[in-house]
Amino acid sequence: MRSTTVLPGVPALPPGPGDVPLHRLEVSSPGAPPFAVGSFEEVGPLSRWDRPHRHTFYEIVHVRAGSGTHVVDLARWPVRPPQLAVVLPGQVHHWEGGRGPEGSLVLFTDDFLVDHPGDRELLRELGARCGFALDTAQDRWVGALIAELAAEFRQRASGHESVLRSLLHVLVVRAARLPGGPAQGPEPRVQGRTAAVADAFAELITRPEAAGRTVRECADRLGVSPGYLTQAVRAATGRPPGRLLIEARVYQAQQLLAHTELSVRQVAARTGFDDPAYFSRFFRRETGSSPGAFRKHHSRPHQSLEAPSAPA
């Protein structure tokens, strides 16, 4: 994925033909941590953008008012405050209809999780669920934690980066305890090199350029044998890497069909298929629907994908 952060005033990169716009995290200076927190107004107009787009960063959203729909990939979540949502890097999302959301956002890149690598798995599972309804007590502690993060971020006192990482870790772990959240604890189920390889594989298969790669090609890229990669991924997820590669390929095809105007032939090529007919058979086998029928059911009317003139 292209550079994950930008400096103030750097415009959003124009999307390529058929691409979904990619937003990067704005930081105050070249040495600033890849982290930001604030209200929707403070983050800027792109925080409420009603066009499908992706991020290079994680977004934790605390919605305290508003209405409409939060569309994440292929799921539509009614905005019913108070809510907590997690949007993962690479997920396609936008806000639709109603009165725009009000509340706070916590934005950070994968690099900011260096002190608590186990949080990556929790965030992946939170992002798969996306929306969590909050009761009064939950809304209160989420708001208090984000207020602490915002105060620390504004003050930038000595050691503020470590405090921000610690407070973010608490927010992620407590969010994982919400009803419907990940069942496991905050630590990865495997440790050491095995966990690192499994995490690297999980990140690798989300990249568009990974479409069509085999387990052997992924293992070569990660510097391990195919057998060790299979062992590490099975230990971390309970599933074989080949199956996860197939699911990642289907997910990418679904995003392109739902959120771009690329032809089925072009979607097939983007996801590593030379033969559109074989792609269609693969897609139907995995989803139960043809690419055309899937697009008809999930796509929204075409609108311009140009970003407003605001920081990325």
Side-chain angles (χ1 to χ4, degrees):
M1 194 171 283
R2 286 172 281 184
S3 177
T4 58
T5 60
V6 292
L7 296 175
V10 175
L13 292 172
D19 285 342
V20 177
L22 180 68
H23 296 174
R24 296 170 293 169
L25 178 61
E26 184 177 289
V27 295
S28 59
S29 66
F35 178 91
V37 58
S39 67
F40 279 86
E41 287 73 22
E42 290 168 331
V43 172
L46 290 182
S47 63
R48 292 193 182 96
W49 207 26
D50 62 354
R51 303 290 187 270
H53 62 281
R54 299 172 294 144
H55 303 152
T56 62
F57 50 88
Y58 296 90
E59 181 175 88
I60 298 177
V61 189
H62 183 205
V63 180
R64 308 196 86 167
S67 60
T69 304
H70 187 198
V71 182
V72 183
D73 288 330
L74 307 175
R76 301 175 63 84
W77 301 91
V79 176
R80 294 173 181 158
Q83 287 177 310
L84 190 71
V86 174
V87 182
L88 304 177
Q91 283 188 311
V92 179
H93 90 120
H94 67 278
W95 303 91
E96 188 175 275
R99 184 168 57 87
E102 301 286 344
S104 301
L105 304 98
V106 183
L107 316 175
F108 53 96
T109 71
D110 195 65
D111 294 338
F112 200 69
L113 300 174
V114 62
D115 291 346
H116 302 284
D119 288 354
R120 292 186 179 95
E121 178 62 24
L122 293 182
L123 285 163
R124 278 196 290 269
E125 297 200 31
L126 287 165
R129 176 65 174 81
C130 183
F132 296 85
L134 304 175
D135 62 25
T136 301
Q138 292 162 347
D139 180 48
R140 188 180 300 117
W141 68 250
V142 170
L145 262 176
I146 293 179
E148 279 195 76
L149 280 163
E152 195 69 33
F153 181 67
R154 285 193 303 269
Q155 293 164 8
R156 288 174 165 76
S158 175
H160 73 282
E161 287 189 36
S162 62
V163 174
L164 288 172
R165 287 189 170 95
S166 297
L167 289 171
L168 176 62
H169 174 61
V170 173
L171 178 60
V172 171
V173 172
R174 288 189 177 175
R177 296 174 183 169
L178 291 170
Q184 75 273 12
E187 296 303 319
R189 286 166 283 188
V190 293
Q191 303 288 330
R193 184 169 181 248
T194 298
V197 168
D199 277 346
F201 175 77
E203 192 277 330
L204 176 65
I205 66 176
T206 65
R207 301 177 191 171
E209 63 270 22
R213 282 186 180 152
T214 64
V215 173
R216 179 174 292 279
E217 288 169 337
C218 290
D220 289 344
R221 188 166 182 85
L222 297 175
V224 298
S225 70
Y228 186 83
L229 177 61
T230 298
Q231 176 187 350
V233 172
R234 277 190 179 276
T237 68
R239 309 177 71 199
R243 184 66 233 169
L244 297 179
L245 280 168
I246 289 173
E247 291 176 3
R249 208 172 184 184
V250 171
Y251 170 71
Q252 184 184 357
Q254 289 174 324
Q255 284 189 320
L256 292 170
L257 289 167
H259 301 299
T260 77
E261 292 195 316
L262 293 173
S263 68
V264 172
R265 179 180 291 275
Q266 290 171 317
V267 171
R270 289 280 186 99
T271 50
F273 291 90
D274 296 327
D275 181 356
Y278 179 67
F279 164 72
S280 294
R281 292 195 298 272
F282 165 85
F283 190 87
R284 183 184 290 277
R285 184 190 73 210
E286 294 296 325
T287 68
S289 172
S290 70
F294 180 89
R295 164 168 278 168
K296 184 176 181 181
H297 182 71
H298 289 281
S299 62
R300 69 200 298 248
H302 175 65
Q303 293 172 292
S304 170
L305 292 181
E306 291 185 4
S309 56

